[in-house]
Short mmCIF file of all heavy atoms in Angstrom, two decimals:
data_model
loop_
_atom_site.label_atom_id
_atom_site.label_comp_id
_atom_site.label_asym_id
_atom_site.label_seq_id
_atom_site.Cartn_x
_atom_site.Cartn_y
_atom_site.Cartn_z
N MET A 7 -3.60 -23.31 -32.92
CA MET A 7 -2.75 -22.25 -33.41
C MET A 7 -3.20 -20.89 -32.86
O MET A 7 -2.38 -20.06 -32.50
CB MET A 7 -2.77 -22.27 -34.94
CG MET A 7 -1.81 -21.32 -35.56
SD MET A 7 -0.12 -21.87 -35.25
CE MET A 7 0.77 -20.73 -36.20
N LYS A 8 -4.54 -20.69 -32.80
CA LYS A 8 -5.07 -19.43 -32.30
C LYS A 8 -4.72 -19.25 -30.82
O LYS A 8 -4.41 -18.16 -30.37
CB LYS A 8 -6.58 -19.36 -32.50
CG LYS A 8 -7.17 -18.05 -32.07
CD LYS A 8 -8.63 -17.93 -32.42
CE LYS A 8 -9.10 -16.58 -31.95
NZ LYS A 8 -10.33 -16.17 -32.54
N LEU A 9 -4.78 -20.36 -30.06
CA LEU A 9 -4.43 -20.30 -28.64
C LEU A 9 -2.97 -19.89 -28.48
O LEU A 9 -2.63 -19.07 -27.61
CB LEU A 9 -4.67 -21.66 -27.98
CG LEU A 9 -4.41 -21.74 -26.48
CD1 LEU A 9 -5.29 -20.75 -25.72
CD2 LEU A 9 -4.68 -23.14 -25.98
N LEU A 10 -2.09 -20.41 -29.29
CA LEU A 10 -0.68 -20.04 -29.26
C LEU A 10 -0.51 -18.55 -29.57
O LEU A 10 0.25 -17.85 -28.90
CB LEU A 10 0.13 -20.88 -30.24
CG LEU A 10 1.62 -20.61 -30.29
CD1 LEU A 10 2.27 -20.86 -28.93
CD2 LEU A 10 2.28 -21.47 -31.36
N LYS A 11 -1.23 -18.05 -30.54
CA LYS A 11 -1.18 -16.63 -30.90
C LYS A 11 -1.64 -15.77 -29.73
O LYS A 11 -1.02 -14.75 -29.42
CB LYS A 11 -2.05 -16.38 -32.14
CG LYS A 11 -2.24 -14.93 -32.50
CD LYS A 11 -1.01 -14.34 -33.13
CE LYS A 11 -1.34 -12.96 -33.67
NZ LYS A 11 -0.44 -11.94 -33.23
N ASN A 12 -2.72 -16.19 -29.05
CA ASN A 12 -3.21 -15.46 -27.87
C ASN A 12 -2.16 -15.45 -26.76
O ASN A 12 -1.97 -14.43 -26.10
CB ASN A 12 -4.51 -16.05 -27.36
CG ASN A 12 -5.68 -15.79 -28.29
OD1 ASN A 12 -5.63 -14.91 -29.14
ND2 ASN A 12 -6.72 -16.58 -28.16
N ASP A 13 -1.50 -16.57 -26.56
CA ASP A 13 -0.45 -16.66 -25.54
C ASP A 13 0.72 -15.74 -25.87
O ASP A 13 1.25 -15.05 -25.00
CB ASP A 13 0.06 -18.10 -25.39
CG ASP A 13 -0.95 -19.01 -24.71
OD1 ASP A 13 -1.91 -18.49 -24.11
OD2 ASP A 13 -0.76 -20.24 -24.76
N ILE A 14 1.10 -15.71 -27.13
CA ILE A 14 2.21 -14.84 -27.55
C ILE A 14 1.83 -13.38 -27.37
O ILE A 14 2.63 -12.57 -26.89
CB ILE A 14 2.61 -15.15 -29.02
CG1 ILE A 14 3.27 -16.53 -29.09
CG2 ILE A 14 3.54 -14.07 -29.56
CD1 ILE A 14 3.53 -17.03 -30.49
N ASP A 15 0.58 -13.03 -27.71
CA ASP A 15 0.11 -11.66 -27.52
C ASP A 15 0.14 -11.27 -26.04
O ASP A 15 0.54 -10.16 -25.69
CB ASP A 15 -1.30 -11.48 -28.08
CG ASP A 15 -1.34 -11.52 -29.60
OD1 ASP A 15 -0.27 -11.37 -30.24
OD2 ASP A 15 -2.44 -11.72 -30.15
N LEU A 16 -0.29 -12.18 -25.18
CA LEU A 16 -0.28 -11.92 -23.73
C LEU A 16 1.14 -11.74 -23.23
O LEU A 16 1.43 -10.82 -22.46
CB LEU A 16 -0.97 -13.07 -22.98
CG LEU A 16 -0.96 -12.94 -21.46
CD1 LEU A 16 -1.72 -11.69 -21.02
CD2 LEU A 16 -1.55 -14.18 -20.82
N ILE A 17 2.05 -12.57 -23.68
CA ILE A 17 3.46 -12.45 -23.27
C ILE A 17 4.02 -11.11 -23.71
O ILE A 17 4.73 -10.44 -22.95
CB ILE A 17 4.29 -13.63 -23.84
CG1 ILE A 17 3.90 -14.92 -23.12
CG2 ILE A 17 5.79 -13.36 -23.69
CD1 ILE A 17 4.46 -16.17 -23.75
N ASP A 18 3.72 -10.70 -24.93
CA ASP A 18 4.19 -9.39 -25.41
C ASP A 18 3.63 -8.26 -24.57
O ASP A 18 4.34 -7.31 -24.24
CB ASP A 18 3.79 -9.19 -26.88
CG ASP A 18 4.58 -10.06 -27.83
OD1 ASP A 18 5.66 -10.57 -27.43
OD2 ASP A 18 4.11 -10.26 -28.98
N LYS A 19 2.35 -8.35 -24.20
CA LYS A 19 1.72 -7.32 -23.38
C LYS A 19 2.39 -7.26 -21.99
O LYS A 19 2.70 -6.18 -21.50
CB LYS A 19 0.24 -7.61 -23.23
CG LYS A 19 -0.51 -6.61 -22.39
CD LYS A 19 -1.97 -6.97 -22.27
CE LYS A 19 -2.67 -6.01 -21.33
NZ LYS A 19 -4.06 -6.37 -21.10
N VAL A 20 2.61 -8.41 -21.38
CA VAL A 20 3.25 -8.48 -20.07
C VAL A 20 4.66 -7.91 -20.13
O VAL A 20 5.07 -7.12 -19.28
CB VAL A 20 3.26 -9.92 -19.53
CG1 VAL A 20 4.14 -10.06 -18.31
CG2 VAL A 20 1.85 -10.39 -19.22
N GLU A 21 5.39 -8.28 -21.16
CA GLU A 21 6.76 -7.79 -21.34
C GLU A 21 6.77 -6.27 -21.47
O GLU A 21 7.62 -5.59 -20.88
CB GLU A 21 7.39 -8.45 -22.56
CG GLU A 21 8.84 -8.08 -22.75
CD GLU A 21 9.45 -8.78 -23.95
OE1 GLU A 21 8.78 -8.89 -25.00
OE2 GLU A 21 10.60 -9.23 -23.83
N LYS A 22 5.82 -5.72 -22.21
CA LYS A 22 5.75 -4.27 -22.39
C LYS A 22 5.45 -3.59 -21.06
O LYS A 22 6.07 -2.58 -20.71
CB LYS A 22 4.67 -3.92 -23.41
CG LYS A 22 4.56 -2.43 -23.68
CD LYS A 22 3.51 -2.12 -24.71
CE LYS A 22 3.39 -0.63 -24.91
NZ LYS A 22 2.34 -0.28 -25.84
N GLU A 23 4.50 -4.14 -20.28
CA GLU A 23 4.15 -3.56 -18.98
C GLU A 23 5.35 -3.58 -18.03
O GLU A 23 5.63 -2.60 -17.36
CB GLU A 23 2.98 -4.31 -18.35
CG GLU A 23 1.67 -4.04 -19.03
CD GLU A 23 0.53 -4.78 -18.38
OE1 GLU A 23 0.49 -4.85 -17.14
OE2 GLU A 23 -0.33 -5.30 -19.10
N ILE A 24 6.06 -4.68 -17.99
CA ILE A 24 7.21 -4.81 -17.10
C ILE A 24 8.32 -3.85 -17.52
O ILE A 24 8.96 -3.22 -16.67
CB ILE A 24 7.73 -6.26 -17.07
CG1 ILE A 24 6.71 -7.15 -16.35
CG2 ILE A 24 9.09 -6.36 -16.39
CD1 ILE A 24 7.02 -8.62 -16.40
N SER A 25 8.52 -3.69 -18.82
CA SER A 25 9.59 -2.80 -19.28
C SER A 25 9.31 -1.35 -18.93
O SER A 25 10.22 -0.54 -18.81
CB SER A 25 9.81 -2.95 -20.79
OG SER A 25 8.72 -2.40 -21.51
N GLN A 26 8.03 -1.01 -18.74
CA GLN A 26 7.67 0.36 -18.40
C GLN A 26 7.75 0.64 -16.89
O GLN A 26 7.69 1.78 -16.48
CB GLN A 26 6.27 0.69 -18.92
CG GLN A 26 6.22 0.73 -20.43
CD GLN A 26 4.83 0.92 -20.98
OE1 GLN A 26 3.84 0.82 -20.27
NE2 GLN A 26 4.74 1.20 -22.26
N MET A 27 7.83 -0.42 -16.10
CA MET A 27 7.97 -0.24 -14.66
C MET A 27 9.40 0.18 -14.35
O MET A 27 10.34 -0.30 -14.95
CB MET A 27 7.64 -1.53 -13.92
CG MET A 27 6.21 -1.94 -14.00
SD MET A 27 5.95 -3.44 -13.05
CE MET A 27 4.26 -3.79 -13.47
N LYS A 28 9.53 1.07 -13.42
CA LYS A 28 10.85 1.57 -13.08
C LYS A 28 11.10 1.39 -11.59
O LYS A 28 10.18 1.47 -10.79
CB LYS A 28 10.96 3.06 -13.42
CG LYS A 28 10.77 3.37 -14.88
CD LYS A 28 10.88 4.87 -15.11
CE LYS A 28 10.79 5.18 -16.58
NZ LYS A 28 9.47 5.45 -17.06
N ASN A 29 12.37 1.17 -11.24
CA ASN A 29 12.73 1.19 -9.82
C ASN A 29 12.52 2.61 -9.33
O ASN A 29 12.77 3.57 -10.04
CB ASN A 29 14.19 0.77 -9.62
CG ASN A 29 14.37 -0.70 -9.76
OD1 ASN A 29 13.43 -1.48 -9.59
ND2 ASN A 29 15.58 -1.13 -10.07
N GLY A 30 12.07 2.72 -8.11
CA GLY A 30 11.84 4.05 -7.55
C GLY A 30 10.55 4.67 -8.04
O GLY A 30 10.40 5.88 -8.02
N SER A 31 9.60 3.84 -8.49
CA SER A 31 8.30 4.36 -8.92
C SER A 31 7.65 5.10 -7.75
O SER A 31 7.94 4.83 -6.60
CB SER A 31 7.39 3.23 -9.38
OG SER A 31 7.89 2.65 -10.55
N ILE A 32 6.77 6.02 -8.08
CA ILE A 32 6.11 6.79 -7.04
C ILE A 32 4.61 6.54 -7.07
O ILE A 32 4.05 6.15 -8.10
CB ILE A 32 6.39 8.30 -7.20
CG1 ILE A 32 5.91 8.80 -8.56
CG2 ILE A 32 7.86 8.61 -7.01
CD1 ILE A 32 5.95 10.29 -8.72
N ALA A 33 3.98 6.76 -5.94
CA ALA A 33 2.52 6.68 -5.84
C ALA A 33 1.97 8.09 -5.90
O ALA A 33 2.40 8.95 -5.14
CB ALA A 33 2.12 6.00 -4.54
N LEU A 34 1.07 8.34 -6.81
CA LEU A 34 0.46 9.65 -6.93
C LEU A 34 -0.83 9.63 -6.11
O LEU A 34 -1.90 9.27 -6.58
CB LEU A 34 0.18 9.99 -8.39
CG LEU A 34 1.42 10.04 -9.28
CD1 LEU A 34 1.04 10.23 -10.73
CD2 LEU A 34 2.35 11.14 -8.82
N ILE A 35 -0.69 10.00 -4.85
CA ILE A 35 -1.77 9.90 -3.89
C ILE A 35 -3.00 10.70 -4.33
O ILE A 35 -4.13 10.29 -4.14
CB ILE A 35 -1.30 10.37 -2.49
CG1 ILE A 35 -0.09 9.55 -2.03
CG2 ILE A 35 -2.42 10.29 -1.48
CD1 ILE A 35 -0.31 8.07 -1.96
N ASN A 36 -2.80 11.86 -4.96
CA ASN A 36 -3.93 12.68 -5.36
C ASN A 36 -4.69 12.10 -6.55
O ASN A 36 -5.71 12.63 -6.95
CB ASN A 36 -3.48 14.11 -5.66
CG ASN A 36 -2.48 14.18 -6.78
OD1 ASN A 36 -1.80 13.20 -7.07
ND2 ASN A 36 -2.37 15.32 -7.42
N GLN A 37 -4.20 10.99 -7.10
CA GLN A 37 -4.90 10.35 -8.20
C GLN A 37 -5.56 9.05 -7.79
O GLN A 37 -5.94 8.23 -8.63
CB GLN A 37 -3.93 10.12 -9.36
CG GLN A 37 -3.44 11.39 -9.99
CD GLN A 37 -2.56 11.15 -11.20
OE1 GLN A 37 -2.35 10.02 -11.62
NE2 GLN A 37 -2.02 12.22 -11.75
N ILE A 38 -5.75 8.86 -6.49
CA ILE A 38 -6.42 7.66 -6.00
C ILE A 38 -7.88 7.71 -6.45
O ILE A 38 -8.52 8.75 -6.40
CB ILE A 38 -6.34 7.57 -4.47
CG1 ILE A 38 -4.90 7.27 -4.05
CG2 ILE A 38 -7.29 6.51 -3.93
CD1 ILE A 38 -4.70 7.25 -2.56
N THR A 39 -8.39 6.58 -6.87
CA THR A 39 -9.78 6.50 -7.28
C THR A 39 -10.39 5.22 -6.74
O THR A 39 -9.68 4.26 -6.45
CB THR A 39 -9.91 6.54 -8.82
OG1 THR A 39 -11.27 6.62 -9.18
CG2 THR A 39 -9.29 5.34 -9.48
N THR A 40 -11.68 5.23 -6.57
CA THR A 40 -12.39 4.04 -6.09
C THR A 40 -12.57 3.09 -7.25
O THR A 40 -12.95 3.49 -8.35
CB THR A 40 -13.76 4.44 -5.53
OG1 THR A 40 -13.57 5.41 -4.51
CG2 THR A 40 -14.49 3.25 -4.97
N ILE A 41 -12.31 1.81 -7.00
CA ILE A 41 -12.53 0.80 -8.03
C ILE A 41 -13.30 -0.37 -7.43
O ILE A 41 -13.31 -0.57 -6.23
CB ILE A 41 -11.20 0.28 -8.65
CG1 ILE A 41 -10.33 -0.39 -7.59
CG2 ILE A 41 -10.46 1.40 -9.34
CD1 ILE A 41 -9.16 -1.14 -8.16
N SER A 42 -13.91 -1.10 -8.27
CA SER A 42 -14.65 -2.29 -7.85
C SER A 42 -13.66 -3.39 -7.47
O SER A 42 -12.59 -3.52 -8.07
CB SER A 42 -15.52 -2.77 -9.01
OG SER A 42 -15.98 -4.08 -8.78
N LYS A 43 -14.04 -4.20 -6.49
CA LYS A 43 -13.19 -5.33 -6.12
C LYS A 43 -13.00 -6.28 -7.29
O LYS A 43 -12.00 -6.98 -7.38
CB LYS A 43 -13.80 -6.10 -4.95
CG LYS A 43 -13.69 -5.41 -3.62
CD LYS A 43 -14.07 -6.33 -2.50
CE LYS A 43 -15.55 -6.28 -2.30
NZ LYS A 43 -16.02 -7.09 -1.17
N GLN A 44 -13.93 -6.28 -8.21
CA GLN A 44 -13.84 -7.16 -9.37
C GLN A 44 -12.73 -6.75 -10.32
O GLN A 44 -12.28 -7.54 -11.13
CB GLN A 44 -15.18 -7.19 -10.10
CG GLN A 44 -16.27 -7.80 -9.25
CD GLN A 44 -17.66 -7.57 -9.82
OE1 GLN A 44 -17.86 -6.64 -10.59
NE2 GLN A 44 -18.59 -8.42 -9.45
N ARG A 45 -12.28 -5.49 -10.23
CA ARG A 45 -11.21 -5.02 -11.11
C ARG A 45 -9.83 -5.25 -10.52
O ARG A 45 -8.83 -5.03 -11.19
CB ARG A 45 -11.39 -3.53 -11.39
CG ARG A 45 -12.61 -3.25 -12.23
CD ARG A 45 -12.72 -1.80 -12.59
NE ARG A 45 -11.56 -1.38 -13.34
CZ ARG A 45 -11.14 -0.13 -13.45
NH1 ARG A 45 -11.80 0.83 -12.84
NH2 ARG A 45 -10.09 0.18 -14.14
N ILE A 46 -9.77 -5.67 -9.26
CA ILE A 46 -8.47 -5.90 -8.63
C ILE A 46 -7.92 -7.21 -9.15
O ILE A 46 -8.58 -8.24 -9.15
CB ILE A 46 -8.60 -5.92 -7.09
CG1 ILE A 46 -9.07 -4.55 -6.61
CG2 ILE A 46 -7.28 -6.33 -6.45
CD1 ILE A 46 -9.36 -4.47 -5.15
N TYR A 47 -6.67 -7.16 -9.55
CA TYR A 47 -6.02 -8.33 -10.14
C TYR A 47 -4.97 -8.86 -9.17
O TYR A 47 -4.10 -8.14 -8.73
CB TYR A 47 -5.34 -7.93 -11.45
CG TYR A 47 -4.51 -9.02 -12.06
CD1 TYR A 47 -5.11 -10.03 -12.78
CD2 TYR A 47 -3.14 -9.05 -11.88
CE1 TYR A 47 -4.35 -11.04 -13.33
CE2 TYR A 47 -2.38 -10.06 -12.42
CZ TYR A 47 -2.99 -11.06 -13.15
OH TYR A 47 -2.24 -12.06 -13.68
N ASN A 48 -5.09 -10.10 -8.82
CA ASN A 48 -4.08 -10.76 -7.98
C ASN A 48 -3.25 -11.67 -8.86
O ASN A 48 -3.81 -12.43 -9.66
CB ASN A 48 -4.74 -11.60 -6.89
CG ASN A 48 -5.43 -10.74 -5.86
OD1 ASN A 48 -4.93 -9.70 -5.48
ND2 ASN A 48 -6.60 -11.17 -5.42
N PRO A 49 -1.94 -11.64 -8.72
CA PRO A 49 -1.13 -12.58 -9.51
C PRO A 49 -1.55 -14.01 -9.20
O PRO A 49 -1.69 -14.39 -8.05
CB PRO A 49 0.29 -12.30 -9.02
CG PRO A 49 0.25 -10.94 -8.44
CD PRO A 49 -1.13 -10.77 -7.89
N LYS A 50 -1.78 -14.77 -10.23
CA LYS A 50 -2.22 -16.15 -10.07
C LYS A 50 -1.06 -17.14 -10.16
O LYS A 50 -1.19 -18.28 -9.78
CB LYS A 50 -3.26 -16.49 -11.13
CG LYS A 50 -4.40 -15.50 -11.22
CD LYS A 50 -5.64 -16.06 -10.61
CE LYS A 50 -6.84 -15.19 -10.82
NZ LYS A 50 -6.89 -13.94 -10.16
N SER A 51 0.07 -16.68 -10.68
CA SER A 51 1.24 -17.55 -10.79
C SER A 51 2.51 -16.71 -10.72
O SER A 51 2.45 -15.48 -10.72
CB SER A 51 1.20 -18.34 -12.10
OG SER A 51 1.47 -17.49 -13.19
N ASP A 52 3.64 -17.36 -10.68
CA ASP A 52 4.93 -16.67 -10.58
C ASP A 52 5.31 -15.90 -11.84
O ASP A 52 6.21 -15.08 -11.81
CB ASP A 52 6.05 -17.67 -10.27
CG ASP A 52 5.93 -18.24 -8.87
OD1 ASP A 52 5.26 -17.60 -8.03
OD2 ASP A 52 6.48 -19.31 -8.62
N VAL A 53 4.62 -16.15 -12.95
CA VAL A 53 4.96 -15.47 -14.20
C VAL A 53 4.05 -14.29 -14.50
O VAL A 53 4.23 -13.61 -15.51
CB VAL A 53 4.96 -16.45 -15.40
CG1 VAL A 53 6.03 -17.50 -15.23
CG2 VAL A 53 3.59 -17.08 -15.59
N ASP A 54 3.06 -14.02 -13.64
CA ASP A 54 2.17 -12.89 -13.86
C ASP A 54 2.92 -11.58 -13.67
O ASP A 54 3.92 -11.50 -12.96
CB ASP A 54 0.97 -12.94 -12.92
CG ASP A 54 -0.02 -14.02 -13.31
OD1 ASP A 54 -0.07 -14.36 -14.51
OD2 ASP A 54 -0.72 -14.53 -12.43
N VAL A 55 2.40 -10.51 -14.28
CA VAL A 55 3.06 -9.20 -14.28
C VAL A 55 3.34 -8.71 -12.87
O VAL A 55 4.42 -8.19 -12.58
CB VAL A 55 2.19 -8.17 -15.03
CG1 VAL A 55 2.78 -6.78 -14.91
CG2 VAL A 55 2.04 -8.56 -16.48
N LEU A 56 2.40 -8.86 -11.97
CA LEU A 56 2.55 -8.30 -10.62
C LEU A 56 3.14 -9.29 -9.62
O LEU A 56 3.27 -8.96 -8.44
CB LEU A 56 1.19 -7.80 -10.12
CG LEU A 56 0.55 -6.70 -10.96
CD1 LEU A 56 -0.82 -6.35 -10.40
CD2 LEU A 56 1.43 -5.48 -11.03
N ALA A 57 3.51 -10.46 -10.06
CA ALA A 57 4.07 -11.46 -9.16
C ALA A 57 5.38 -10.96 -8.56
O ALA A 57 6.24 -10.44 -9.25
CB ALA A 57 4.31 -12.78 -9.89
N GLY A 58 5.50 -11.06 -7.25
CA GLY A 58 6.74 -10.71 -6.57
C GLY A 58 6.91 -9.23 -6.30
O GLY A 58 7.92 -8.82 -5.72
N ILE A 59 5.97 -8.39 -6.69
CA ILE A 59 6.09 -6.96 -6.45
C ILE A 59 5.49 -6.67 -5.08
O ILE A 59 4.32 -6.96 -4.83
CB ILE A 59 5.38 -6.13 -7.53
CG1 ILE A 59 6.08 -6.35 -8.86
CG2 ILE A 59 5.37 -4.65 -7.15
CD1 ILE A 59 5.44 -5.64 -10.03
N LYS A 60 6.31 -6.12 -4.20
CA LYS A 60 5.87 -5.82 -2.84
C LYS A 60 6.44 -4.48 -2.43
O LYS A 60 7.49 -4.07 -2.88
CB LYS A 60 6.38 -6.89 -1.87
CG LYS A 60 5.82 -8.27 -2.14
CD LYS A 60 6.34 -9.26 -1.14
CE LYS A 60 5.81 -10.65 -1.47
NZ LYS A 60 6.29 -11.64 -0.55
N LEU A 61 5.71 -3.81 -1.55
CA LEU A 61 6.20 -2.56 -0.97
C LEU A 61 6.63 -2.83 0.46
O LEU A 61 6.02 -3.64 1.15
CB LEU A 61 5.10 -1.49 -0.96
CG LEU A 61 4.71 -0.92 -2.31
CD1 LEU A 61 3.53 0.03 -2.15
CD2 LEU A 61 5.86 -0.20 -2.96
N SER A 62 7.64 -2.12 0.88
CA SER A 62 8.08 -2.26 2.27
C SER A 62 7.05 -1.63 3.19
O SER A 62 6.24 -0.79 2.77
CB SER A 62 9.43 -1.57 2.45
OG SER A 62 9.27 -0.17 2.33
N ASN A 63 7.08 -2.03 4.46
CA ASN A 63 6.18 -1.43 5.45
C ASN A 63 6.40 0.07 5.53
O ASN A 63 5.45 0.85 5.68
CB ASN A 63 6.37 -2.07 6.82
CG ASN A 63 5.78 -3.46 6.87
OD1 ASN A 63 4.89 -3.80 6.10
ND2 ASN A 63 6.28 -4.28 7.78
N ASN A 64 7.65 0.50 5.41
CA ASN A 64 7.96 1.93 5.45
C ASN A 64 7.28 2.67 4.29
O ASN A 64 6.69 3.74 4.48
CB ASN A 64 9.48 2.15 5.41
CG ASN A 64 9.84 3.60 5.59
OD1 ASN A 64 9.34 4.26 6.49
ND2 ASN A 64 10.71 4.10 4.73
N SER A 65 7.34 2.11 3.09
CA SER A 65 6.70 2.73 1.93
C SER A 65 5.19 2.81 2.12
O SER A 65 4.56 3.82 1.82
CB SER A 65 7.01 1.95 0.66
OG SER A 65 8.37 2.04 0.34
N LEU A 66 4.59 1.73 2.63
CA LEU A 66 3.15 1.73 2.87
C LEU A 66 2.77 2.76 3.92
O LEU A 66 1.75 3.44 3.80
CB LEU A 66 2.68 0.33 3.29
CG LEU A 66 2.75 -0.73 2.20
CD1 LEU A 66 2.45 -2.11 2.78
CD2 LEU A 66 1.79 -0.43 1.08
N ASP A 67 3.60 2.90 4.96
CA ASP A 67 3.34 3.91 6.00
C ASP A 67 3.40 5.32 5.42
O ASP A 67 2.58 6.17 5.76
CB ASP A 67 4.34 3.77 7.15
CG ASP A 67 4.10 2.51 7.98
OD1 ASP A 67 3.00 1.93 7.90
OD2 ASP A 67 5.04 2.11 8.71
N LEU A 68 4.36 5.57 4.54
CA LEU A 68 4.47 6.89 3.90
C LEU A 68 3.23 7.20 3.06
O LEU A 68 2.72 8.31 3.07
CB LEU A 68 5.73 6.97 3.05
CG LEU A 68 7.06 6.99 3.80
CD1 LEU A 68 8.22 6.83 2.82
CD2 LEU A 68 7.19 8.27 4.60
N ILE A 69 2.76 6.19 2.34
CA ILE A 69 1.55 6.36 1.53
C ILE A 69 0.35 6.64 2.43
O ILE A 69 -0.44 7.55 2.17
CB ILE A 69 1.31 5.13 0.63
CG1 ILE A 69 2.39 5.06 -0.45
CG2 ILE A 69 -0.09 5.17 0.01
CD1 ILE A 69 2.39 3.77 -1.24
N ASP A 70 0.22 5.88 3.52
CA ASP A 70 -0.88 6.10 4.47
C ASP A 70 -0.86 7.52 5.02
O ASP A 70 -1.90 8.19 5.10
CB ASP A 70 -0.81 5.11 5.63
CG ASP A 70 -1.24 3.70 5.24
OD1 ASP A 70 -1.88 3.55 4.18
OD2 ASP A 70 -0.93 2.77 6.01
N GLU A 71 0.30 8.00 5.40
CA GLU A 71 0.41 9.35 5.96
C GLU A 71 0.03 10.41 4.94
O GLU A 71 -0.66 11.38 5.27
CB GLU A 71 1.83 9.60 6.48
CG GLU A 71 2.17 8.83 7.74
CD GLU A 71 1.21 9.12 8.88
OE1 GLU A 71 0.88 10.30 9.12
OE2 GLU A 71 0.77 8.15 9.52
N LYS A 72 0.45 10.24 3.71
CA LYS A 72 0.11 11.20 2.67
C LYS A 72 -1.39 11.21 2.40
O LYS A 72 -2.00 12.27 2.22
CB LYS A 72 0.90 10.89 1.38
CG LYS A 72 0.76 11.93 0.33
CD LYS A 72 1.35 13.26 0.77
CE LYS A 72 1.34 14.26 -0.36
NZ LYS A 72 1.94 15.52 -0.03
N ILE A 73 -2.00 10.03 2.38
CA ILE A 73 -3.45 9.95 2.20
C ILE A 73 -4.17 10.69 3.32
O ILE A 73 -5.10 11.46 3.08
CB ILE A 73 -3.92 8.47 2.13
CG1 ILE A 73 -3.43 7.83 0.82
CG2 ILE A 73 -5.44 8.37 2.25
CD1 ILE A 73 -3.65 6.33 0.76
N LYS A 74 -3.74 10.46 4.53
CA LYS A 74 -4.35 11.13 5.69
C LYS A 74 -4.20 12.64 5.56
O LYS A 74 -5.15 13.39 5.81
CB LYS A 74 -3.71 10.66 6.99
CG LYS A 74 -4.07 9.25 7.37
CD LYS A 74 -3.32 8.83 8.61
CE LYS A 74 -3.46 7.36 8.88
NZ LYS A 74 -2.61 6.91 10.00
N LYS A 75 -3.03 13.09 5.16
CA LYS A 75 -2.78 14.53 5.05
C LYS A 75 -3.65 15.16 3.97
O LYS A 75 -4.17 16.26 4.14
CB LYS A 75 -1.30 14.75 4.72
CG LYS A 75 -0.90 16.21 4.70
CD LYS A 75 0.54 16.37 4.25
CE LYS A 75 1.46 16.46 5.44
NZ LYS A 75 2.84 16.75 5.05
N LEU A 76 -3.84 14.47 2.86
CA LEU A 76 -4.62 15.03 1.75
C LEU A 76 -6.12 14.95 1.94
O LEU A 76 -6.86 15.82 1.48
CB LEU A 76 -4.24 14.33 0.44
CG LEU A 76 -2.85 14.65 -0.12
CD1 LEU A 76 -2.56 13.73 -1.30
CD2 LEU A 76 -2.76 16.10 -0.54
N PHE A 77 -6.60 13.90 2.58
CA PHE A 77 -8.03 13.64 2.55
C PHE A 77 -8.74 13.69 3.90
O PHE A 77 -9.96 13.60 3.95
CB PHE A 77 -8.29 12.28 1.89
CG PHE A 77 -7.84 12.25 0.45
CD1 PHE A 77 -6.70 11.56 0.10
CD2 PHE A 77 -8.54 12.92 -0.52
CE1 PHE A 77 -6.27 11.54 -1.23
CE2 PHE A 77 -8.13 12.91 -1.84
CZ PHE A 77 -6.99 12.21 -2.19
N ILE A 78 -8.04 13.83 4.98
CA ILE A 78 -8.66 13.88 6.30
C ILE A 78 -8.42 15.25 6.88
O ILE A 78 -7.27 15.68 7.06
CB ILE A 78 -8.13 12.78 7.24
CG1 ILE A 78 -8.45 11.40 6.65
CG2 ILE A 78 -8.71 12.94 8.63
CD1 ILE A 78 -7.89 10.24 7.43
N LYS A 79 -9.51 15.94 7.21
CA LYS A 79 -9.38 17.26 7.79
C LYS A 79 -9.19 17.12 9.30
O LYS A 79 -9.87 16.36 9.96
CB LYS A 79 -10.60 18.12 7.50
CG LYS A 79 -10.74 18.42 6.04
CD LYS A 79 -11.87 19.36 5.78
CE LYS A 79 -11.92 19.62 4.28
NZ LYS A 79 -12.74 20.74 3.95
N ASN A 80 -8.28 17.91 9.83
CA ASN A 80 -8.03 17.87 11.28
C ASN A 80 -8.89 18.86 11.99
O ASN A 80 -9.22 19.89 11.64
CB ASN A 80 -6.55 18.17 11.57
CG ASN A 80 -5.68 17.03 11.09
OD1 ASN A 80 -6.10 15.89 11.09
ND2 ASN A 80 -4.48 17.35 10.69
#
């Protein structure tokens, strides 16, 4: 019974996180911080919160350019 309660709590948490995600989200480049590799979460299945979320190459290029502009002196 406790395992079922934990599963329901996890589902509620995932549902809340997904509902807060918006199309057209932005990356706040000036808020980048260093994190441990141990804190990085990879989706382990198709039902995980981050499963299927991908950025286009164009979006990644824009992020890279902004990082370079903010943090690399010419």
Side-chain angles (χ1 to χ4, degrees):
M7 187 68 174
K8 183 174 180 163
L9 183 59
L10 181 60
K11 172 75 171 128
N12 289 342
D13 288 346
I14 290 172
D15 290 343
L16 178 62
I17 290 170
D18 289 342
K19 180 181 175 184
V20 169
E21 184 178 41
K22 181 179 178 184
E23 287 181 41
I24 290 173
S25 70
Q26 292 175 348
M27 292 182 187
K28 299 179 176 92
N29 285 336
S31 293
I32 59 171
L34 299 174
I35 303 302
N36 61 337
Q37 293 184 4
I38 290 176
T39 186
T40 304
I41 62 169
S42 165
K43 286 191 274 183
Q44 295 168 337
R45 292 185 60 202
I46 297 174
Y47 173 80
N48 291 320
K50 308 255 187 291
S51 72
D52 292 339
V53 296
D54 287 333
V55 174
L56 300 177
I59 296 177
K60 297 181 182 179
L61 289 175
S62 68
N63 286 337
N64 185 48
S65 294
L66 292 172
D67 289 342
L68 291 170
I69 291 170
D70 286 344
E71 289 303 315
K72 188 64 174 182
I73 290 171
K74 288 176 190 174
K75 185 185 265 186
L76 289 172
F77 297 106
I78 298 176
K79 294 185 179 194
N80 291 329

